[in-house]
Amino acid sequence: MRKIALTLTAASALALGACQSPAADSVEDQAESQADAIDAQADTMPDGPAKEAMENKADSVEEMGEEKANAMDDNGEVAPSETGVGDTQKK
């Protein structure tokens, strides 16, 4: 049973990933790479408000990349604005 669930989950992920255009994928990948670099910088900082601000910036950069990619090509990719969940979403 567990094997079937894993297979279905993997197939669903592949199907959703294939829906986005290469250009939108590139935008999202670039934002994710930039967010990873910001996050790496934050990891070197001492705990405190500055580190938290850098981590929030990384989250925001990644979410904005998802939003931009979604605006370019809305073919099944789910962006934070569609779920209402994420650091850049208004509460």
Side-chain angles (χ1 to χ4, degrees):
M1 185 68 175
R2 190 182 283 184
K3 193 174 192 178
I4 291 171
L6 289 174
T7 302
L8 291 174
T9 303
S12 296
L14 287 173
L16 286 176
C19 293
Q20 202 168 18
S21 73
D25 276 341
S26 177
V27 167
E28 193 169 351
D29 290 345
Q30 188 174 22
E32 187 174 332
S33 178
Q34 186 178 4
D36 287 345
I38 295 168
D39 217 13
Q41 284 179 317
D43 288 343
T44 65
M45 298 173 75
D47 287 339
K51 180 176 183 168
E52 191 172 317
M54 286 291 280
E55 290 171 342
N56 289 339
K57 181 179 178 181
D59 291 342
S60 181
V61 166
E62 186 171 359
E63 283 187 25
M64 290 301 152
E66 291 173 7
E67 291 294 339
K68 186 174 181 181
N70 193 53
M72 291 172 65
D73 183 23
D74 194 4
N75 288 330
E77 188 77 9
V78 180
S81 63
E82 294 176 319
T83 62
V85 176
D87 291 337
T88 62
Q89 303 309 303
K90 297 187 181 188
K91 296 176 180 163

